[in-house]
Amino acid sequence: MDLGLRGKVALVTGASAGIGDGVAKVLAQEGATLAITARRRDRLDALAAELEATTGSAPYVIQADLASDEAPSAIRDAMTEQFGRLDVLVNNAGSSRSVAPDAPDSAWDEAMMLKFTMGRRLTTVLLPTMRAGGWGRILHITGILEPTTTNAGLAGCAATHAWAKGMSRDLAPEGITINCIPPGRINSEQILERLHPTEESRESFIKANIPAGYFGEPEDIGRLVAFLASPGARYITGCVIPVDGGMHRFIQ
Ligand SMILES: NC(=O)c1ccc[n+]([C@@H]2O[C@H](COP(=O)([O-])OP(=O)(O)OC[C@H]3O[C@@H](n4cnc5c(N)ncnc54)[C@H](OP(=O)(O)O)[C@@H]3O)[C@@H](O)[C@H]2O)c1
């Protein structure tokens, strides 16, 4: 099935690892004209070389630290110079942050930066470009809002869900949709190296929490991103759609 993404200009943040890498691969396979960004240039270059070999087209690489004040406008300027437009924005960069119940402001501020502010700032500066094209798709990769312990990252995801919902209503008349995708457990750098570093911890988590019986792959998120980014998804906006092998227990 051709999703109709050929020629659409898409920017994926956090593409140097995990979910962002998988999202970039699926969008590239669907023929999108791609830009990828993260802090680690070597990993972005490696992905660009791989995609050039597999699809015949190399994505445009933008190295940036999204937590810095300058990054959003620098990314906007680079996109404007390279493409002059933006059709699809995937705000994926980020990381989970469990914190102690009495964690200091600095821990909360870092988590809110990673799971809310980076995506909000980038969206805000790129929105005029998308609006000028009269068409757009904004996807936020968030998290399932069922905290089992104090989690500042999930507070940031909740903020993103609320912000995205309101904004989706403002922008629907302009042909711009905004949706959130909370992953369950997807094999990625942070999952395999930090949150579930041993086979034992993965197996016990899966047994207790994931009806499908396994962690997903980044491309599982990528396939939903590709559909929601497509013209065919024009009537889906303001939604939160989990991709989690049945992990969430409550209706979102
Ligand atoms: N994997 C899961 O099961 C899962 C579950 C729930 C939510 N999520 C969410 O899904 C998103 C992707 O997670 P993941 O598991 O794929 O994480 P990951 O493997 O740790 O990759 C995170 C990506 O974000 C980028 N990033 C982090 N901080 C950045 C910054 N300051 N500026 C620019 N880029 C930055 C990293 O690139 P550099 O280090 O090169 O900058 C990397 O490409 C995150 O928002 C995460 O919270 C994932």
Side-chain angles (χ1 to χ4, degrees):
M1 178 178 165
D2 180 3
L3 291 174
L5 286 173
R6 200 156 294 282
K8 297 287 187 201
V9 174
L11 171 65
V12 181
T13 74
S16 62
I19 291 173
D21 174 283
V23 167
K25 284 175 179 160
V26 175
L27 290 177
Q29 283 155 14
E30 291 295 331
T33 300
L34 207 57
I36 53 176
T37 186
R39 290 168 298 186
R40 285 171 291 176
R41 175 100 211 184
D42 56 334
R43 299 192 56 144
L44 294 173
D45 286 341
L47 175 60
E50 184 184 339
L51 291 180
E52 186 169 24
T54 53
T55 69
S57 176
Y60 179 54
V61 171
I62 307 172
Q63 181 182 23
D65 179 350
L66 279 168
S68 73
D69 287 345
E70 318 79 54
S73 52
I75 291 172
R76 177 202 55 208
D77 294 349
M79 290 295 291
T80 302
E81 196 179 321
Q82 182 72 14
F83 303 109
R85 52 188 263 254
L86 176 67
D87 302 304
V88 179
L89 171 62
V90 185
N91 283 312
N92 163 76
S95 196
S96 167
R97 288 291 183 272
S98 287
V99 295
D102 58 353
D105 278 0
S106 57
W108 284 92
D109 290 348
E110 189 212 13
M112 291 304 284
M113 172 60 76
L114 283 167
K115 289 303 306 180
F116 175 59
T117 308
M118 294 195 317
R120 182 189 57 74
R121 280 187 183 156
L122 185 63
T123 304
T124 303
V125 301
L126 288 171
L127 197 54
T129 312
M130 197 173 262
R131 281 179 135 163
W135 192 94
R137 302 284 186 262
I138 299 171
L139 284 316
H140 304 296
I141 310 303
T142 55
I144 295 173
L145 299 187
E146 294 176 8
T148 51
T149 181
T150 310
N151 189 314
L154 285 189
C157 292
T160 298
H161 288 180
W163 163 65
K165 179 67 197 174
M167 202 169 169
S168 73
R169 294 179 63 91
D170 289 331
L171 296 177
E174 298 180 43
I176 297 174
T177 68
I178 307 180
N179 291 290
C180 297
I181 302 176
R185 286 292 185 279
I186 302 293
N187 286 319
S188 71
E189 197 172 57
Q190 68 159 341
I191 292 294
L192 297 175
E193 293 179 8
R194 188 163 61 85
L195 298 178
H196 300 281
T198 65
E199 191 60 41
E200 205 177 29
S201 76
R202 290 193 280 276
E203 273 173 18
S204 64
F205 186 90
I206 288 166
K207 203 169 169 203
N209 296 290
I210 307 183
Y214 56 91
F215 283 2
E217 294 301 328
E219 286 78 359
D220 290 317
I221 304 288
R223 283 184 279 275
L224 180 59
V225 167
F227 174 66
L228 292 173
S230 73
R234 66 181 187 175
Y235 212 53
I236 303 169
T237 193
C239 296
V240 175
I241 307 175
V243 175
D244 66 0
M247 184 175 128
H248 67 282
R249 292 168 191 270
F250 304 102
I251 296 168
Q252 299 273 312

